[in-house]
Amino acid sequence: MAQAPTSPPAPPPASTPLLQGFFRLTNVQKVVLLVGVAAAVAITVAFVSLARTPDYKVLFSNVTDRDGGAIISALQQINVPYRMSEGGGAILVPSDRVYESRLRLAQQGLPRGGAIGFELLENQRIGTSQFVEQVNFQRALEGELARTVQALGSVQGARVHLAIPRPSVFVRDQQKPSASVLVSLFPGRTLDPAQLAGITHLVASSVPELAPSAVTIVDQAGNLLTQNPSAREGNAGLDAGQLKYVQAVEQNFVRRIEAILTPIVGPGNVRAQVTAELDFSTVEQTAETYKPNPSPEQAIRSQQTVETIGDNPRDASGVPGALSNQPPGTATAPLNAPGKGAAKGAPAEPASPGNTHREATTNYELDKTITHTRAEVGAVRRLSAAVVVNHRREVKEGKAEATPLAEAEVAQLNNLVRQAIGFNEKRGDTVNLVNAAFNEAERVEVEGPTLVTEVTQRLLGNANTVFWTLAAIVAALFIYLMVLRPVLRDLARAGERDIASREAYAQAMAAAAGSAEAAPAGEGDTGAAPPIRTGGRGFEADLQAVKDLAKQEPQIVANVVKDWVGRE
């Protein structure tokens, strides 16, 4: 009995043709292929990483070395990638983490701005002189004030210089402190008068006995931002506050005019401008007035009467001298003089009067008026109003026509404007109301941006990211189409050929085994093909045995090929 053919112990085939083709390569070819694939993958990953690299923006600029080191350490602790610009003048972080990083660094007090604050006093050495302590305290106070001023939104940097004189026991030798502030503003930013006043009072309140008038503020261009009050009073022009007040008064009158005329002529059909002349002079006057005393209604304030009566006869009066020593003249008797023997009941002759003096003093109340007058600052001297009212629009036969207002209506509107602004003819107010047609330009409707436009704008805004993304896609396609795809295709074809050869070999072995079993067991045919011995000799030996079988038994090989064709 002939031995049945068995299949060769070939290595187990790969699961895919690609792996089968890879196993057919030599070791050198395998290494080269792996290195090429790794290089292609590395290039693709590099392009993808560049495409995904975030856009870096400035976190802080112009920081000191001390603050820069503290900021970098803090960024490393919170795992925020950073970069240093050329020259180390700025610290860059991803654009989507700029504000988050600033807030988290601000929580730690960074950056400190280079100015040294009260932390300078934390490490005081024993034996420090009083002068050094005073200097350190002044430096710390200047640094703290600079940090406070830098907290303002418009201030990029600040420096404060304090001139604090040494105290003296003599009053006449005492000097008041002064301060100078240098502010560096952001581009395009300014400080309004309210902010300047705030900085001035902030510095003045932080230093004892420092008056706000002794604080000077200068910007980075050397412009003096503060002004001495005495110089401001001597300036004939208006300051910013007064100009702002004038504009507010004028706008208030304009709103009054528009508010009273709009319901009559319609919205958008009235234009008004008001010019106000205000008096900002400060006048103080004190007057004292005395009125004449009206006698019927006069009130007596005080009255004093003095009367003196003397007993000395009037004959002895006079000045002693030659005239008083002359003898008296001839006596004459009065005609009606009574005799010596007058009746007992007759009245006695009155005695001659003596020396009498009477003095009366009367004080009356005086009318006195004291008037203290202070003129109002910003009083209106004169108003000039110019008002233009549009023609009335009427629709006639489907067409809009502009019709001028009647004179009575114009006069009525003029009176309304006068009442609205408080017209005063004595101070010279004027109102000019004109009825004219407005020259309105044609309205052009602007279409909103379309979806394509918005997408294009967004893409242009992220041009860097889009460029690297497209470059990564193009590089990946190039590597795949020009390198990986041909290599993988060749490996797959080689693997398919090997798999087909193994299948053919297995089918030939199966056909040979079937032919040997079909022959009669007892017949000794000398012309029969010898059995195929397999097992342990390798694929080449088995393949040679199959070739010999094909030469000796072409019919068997023909049947195998016929079977393959029938299956396909």
Side-chain angles (χ1 to χ4, degrees), residues 71-97:
I71 291 173
I72 290 176
S73 297
L75 293 176
Q76 292 176 351
Q77 292 177 1
I78 60 179
N79 296 326
V80 175
Y82 65 90
R83 289 181 180 177
M84 299 295 295
S85 64
E86 295 182 1
I91 300 177
L92 310 178
V93 296
S95 58
D96 56 343
R97 305 193 66 177

Side-chain angles (χ1 to χ4, degrees), residues 296-514:
E297 301 178 357
Q298 184 62 36
I300 297 176
R301 182 177 183 181
S302 63
Q303 186 175 8
Q304 182 180 5
T305 302
V306 178
E307 185 176 357
T308 306
I309 301 175
D311 295 336
N312 296 328
R314 183 168 298 178
D315 295 339
S317 63
V319 180
L323 295 178
S324 62
N325 293 329
Q326 291 180 1
T330 305
T332 58
L335 298 178
N336 56 355
K340 295 182 180 179
K344 186 177 182 180
E349 182 180 358
S352 61
N355 187 10
T356 303
H357 175 75
R358 185 174 182 179
E359 181 179 352
T361 302
T362 304
N363 295 324
Y364 296 93
E365 290 288 350
L366 299 178
D367 291 339
K368 179 180 179 182
T369 302
I370 299 176
T371 305
H372 181 78
T373 305
R374 182 174 182 179
E376 181 182 359
V377 179
V380 179
R381 286 183 178 177
R382 183 173 177 270
L383 290 178
S384 300
V387 184
V388 180
V389 179
N390 192 12
H391 285 177
R392 180 181 291 109
R393 291 184 175 274
E394 297 179 354
V395 179
K396 296 181 180 180
E397 297 179 358
K399 295 182 180 179
E401 296 181 358
T403 304
L405 300 178
E407 294 182 0
E409 294 178 348
V410 174
Q412 183 181 8
L413 297 178
N414 192 1
N415 293 332
L416 289 176
V417 172
R418 291 190 174 192
Q419 295 295 329
I421 66 174
F423 181 83
N424 188 355
E425 188 175 359
K426 294 182 179 180
R427 65 186 181 189
D429 295 349
T430 58
V431 175
N432 187 7
L433 191 145
V434 178
N435 179 226
F438 288 179
N439 186 11
E440 299 180 354
E442 297 183 356
R443 298 181 180 179
V444 179
E445 296 183 358
V446 180
E447 298 181 355
T450 60
L451 180 61
V452 178
T453 305
E454 292 182 358
V455 173
T456 304
Q457 292 178 354
R458 292 185 178 182
L459 291 178
L460 292 177
N462 299 326
N464 189 17
T465 304
V466 172
F467 171 76
W468 286 109
T469 303
L470 294 177
I473 294 174
V474 172
L477 291 176
F478 177 79
I479 293 173
Y480 174 74
L481 295 177
M482 303 302 295
V483 179
L484 295 180
R485 185 177 179 183
V487 173
L488 297 178
R489 182 175 56 193
D490 294 341
L491 292 178
R493 290 178 179 177
E496 289 177 357
R497 289 195 298 267
D498 291 345
I499 292 175
S501 301
R502 289 183 179 277
E503 290 180 354
Y505 173 74
Q507 292 179 1
M509 294 296 100

